[in-house]
C-alpha cells in the first residue's frame, strides 16, 4: 500500500513570493491533516479535512494561508505571500475514519520550506 | 504551561541499554495516547497507540499511561543504533485534535 505522498520535498523561495504544497493521502482515507513543524518542535495542526469539508481550520493563518481538498482526495496548501517565519516543514497526514473515531494518522515525508 | 511537555534531550545511551522516554500533559480529557518515531528529514511514523490507562507491549517497545498523574512513558529494551531518532508523544480526546509534544532526540551509541 502506498503511503502519503507529498511534493515538492524541498522548496526555497524569497519572501513575499507564493508557494503551494500538494498532498495525496492513502487511498480510502477520509480525513486529511496539514501540520507545520518548526525545528525542534512537534507538529502543529493547521487544518483538518473530513472528505471535502474543512472541519477544523482554527489554527490556519487565513490572511495568507489557504487550503483546498477537491473531490475529497488530494489537497493543496498555499501560502501567499510567504514570510520569513513560514520556514518550516509542512506535513500532510491522513487517517481512515472521521470525527469520533479513534483512528490514528499516517504521515507523509513533508515539504521543507525555506523562505529567504 | 504547554499542553504537552517532553524533555527535548538529547539523550545518549549505549547500545543495549533500556531507554525511558516520558511526556506530561495538562488536559485530563485526553484518552488516546501515541508515540511516534521521526528520523531526520522524514515524517513521523507511529510506534505505539494506547487507549486510556495501562500498559501495552510490542516487541522491544512498551508504552505506559498513567492518567491519574497525567504521565505517559515509552520504554525501549535492548536499544539499537537504528533506534536513534526523535520520539514524539501525541494525544487526543476523540481522534480529532492531536496534540504533539516537542519530541526527545535519542542517540544510541554502538
Amino acid at each position: 500500500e502506498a503511503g502519503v505522498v507529498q511534493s515538492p520535498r524541498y522548496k526555497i523561495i524569497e519572501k513575499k513570493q507564493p508557494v503551494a504544497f500538494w498532498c495525496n493521502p492513502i487511498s480510502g482515507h477520509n480525513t486529511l491533516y496539514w501540520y507545520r513543524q518548526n525545528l525542534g518542535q512537534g507538529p502543529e495542526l493547521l487544518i483538518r479535512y473530513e472528505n471535502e469539508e474543512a472541519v477544523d481550520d482554527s489554527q490556519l493563518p487565513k490572511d495568507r494561508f489557504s487550503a483546498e481538498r477537491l473531490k475529497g482526495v488530494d489537497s493543496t496548501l498555499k501560502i501567499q505571500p510567504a514570510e520569513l517565519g513560514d520556514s518550516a516543514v509542512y506535513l500532510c497526514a491522513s487517517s481512515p475514519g472521521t470525527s469520533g473515531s479513534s483512528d490514528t494518522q499516517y504521515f507523509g515525508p513533508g515539504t521543507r520550506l525555506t523562505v529567504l | 504551561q504547554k499542553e504537552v511537555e517532553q524533555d527535548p534531550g538529547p539523550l545518549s545511551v549505549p547500545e543495549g541499554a533500556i531507554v525511558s522516554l516520558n511526556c506530561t500533559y495538562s488536559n485530563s480529557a485526553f484518552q488516546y495516547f501515541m508515540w511516534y518515531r521521526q528520523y531526520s528529514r522524514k515524517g513521523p511514523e507511529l510506534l505505539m497507540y494506547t487507549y486510556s490507562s495501562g500498559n501495552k507491549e510490542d516487541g522491544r517497545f512498551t508504552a505506559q499511561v498513567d492518567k491519574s498523574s497525567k504521565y505517559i512513558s515509552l520504554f525501549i529494551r535492548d536499544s539499537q543504533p537504528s533506534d536513534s531518532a526523535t520520539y514524539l508523544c501525541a494525544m487526543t480526546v476523540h481522534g480529532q485534535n492531536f496534540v504533539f509534544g516537542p519530541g526527545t532526540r535519542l542517540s544510541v551509541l554502538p
Side-chain angles (χ1 to χ4, degrees):
Chain A
E1 179 185 79
V4 176
V5 179
Q6 290 188 249
S7 69
R9 291 295 313 278
Y10 304 91
K11 190 73 177 179
I12 301 174
I13 61 172
E14 294 189 345
K15 62 181 181 183
K16 301 184 182 179
Q17 295 299 306
V19 64
F21 315 124
W22 174 80
C23 173
N24 180 235
I26 293 173
S27 178
H29 280 199
N30 296 311
T31 302
L32 183 146
Y33 309 78
W34 282 105
Y35 288 88
R36 177 170 57 192
Q37 185 175 25
N38 292 309
L39 189 64
Q41 299 296 316
E44 295 179 330
L45 182 69
L46 291 172
I47 190 168
R48 173 168 62 94
Y49 281 93
E50 291 183 6
N51 300 308
E52 304 88 1
E53 183 181 0
V55 296
D56 184 355
D57 63 356
S58 57
Q59 302 303 311
L60 190 72
K62 297 182 184 63
D63 56 336
R64 297 183 300 107
F65 285 66
S66 64
E68 60 182 10
R69 189 184 185 197
L70 299 176
K71 300 181 181 178
V73 182
D74 294 2
S75 178
T76 302
L77 178 68
K78 297 179 181 178
I79 309 175
Q80 182 172 10
E83 297 179 352
L84 294 177
D86 296 330
S87 294
V89 176
Y90 291 82
L91 292 162
C92 179
S94 68
S95 63
T98 55
S99 293
S101 72
S102 59
D103 291 326
T104 193
Q105 308 167 75
Y106 299 86
F107 283 85
T111 296
R112 183 175 296 270
L113 173 67
T114 301
V115 182
L116 303 175
Chain B
Q1 183 189 16
K2 291 190 174 182
E3 202 166 9
V4 179
E5 305 216 38
Q6 195 175 0
D7 186 334
L11 176 63
S12 293
V13 301
E15 183 175 355
I18 297 175
V19 176
S20 173
L21 304 166
N22 311 294
C23 284
T24 59
Y25 61 95
S26 57
N27 186 353
S28 58
F30 286 138
Q31 295 190 84
Y32 300 92
F33 303 90
M34 287 138 284
W35 285 95
Y36 285 84
R37 178 175 61 196
Q38 186 173 26
Y39 291 114
S40 180
R41 299 185 181 272
K42 301 286 187 182
E45 58 175 322
L46 181 67
L47 279 178
M48 300 288 284
Y49 181 94
T50 310
Y51 170 71
S52 194
S53 287
N55 294 357
K56 185 174 183 179
E57 187 173 322
D58 184 1
R60 296 185 296 114
F61 299 92
T62 299
Q64 287 185 352
V65 175
D66 182 349
K67 290 191 70 179
S68 62
S69 301
K70 299 192 185 73
Y71 188 88
I72 68 172
S73 300
L74 177 71
F75 297 95
I76 307 174
R77 291 183 299 280
D78 187 25
S79 56
Q80 303 294 311
S82 58
D83 294 327
S84 298
T86 296
Y87 289 80
L88 299 158
C89 63
M91 44 201 79
T92 180
V93 176
H94 287 303
Q96 295 178 23
N97 297 329
F98 289 74
V99 181
F100 285 80
T104 298
R105 191 151 51 96
L106 171 68
S107 291
V108 181
L109 307 175

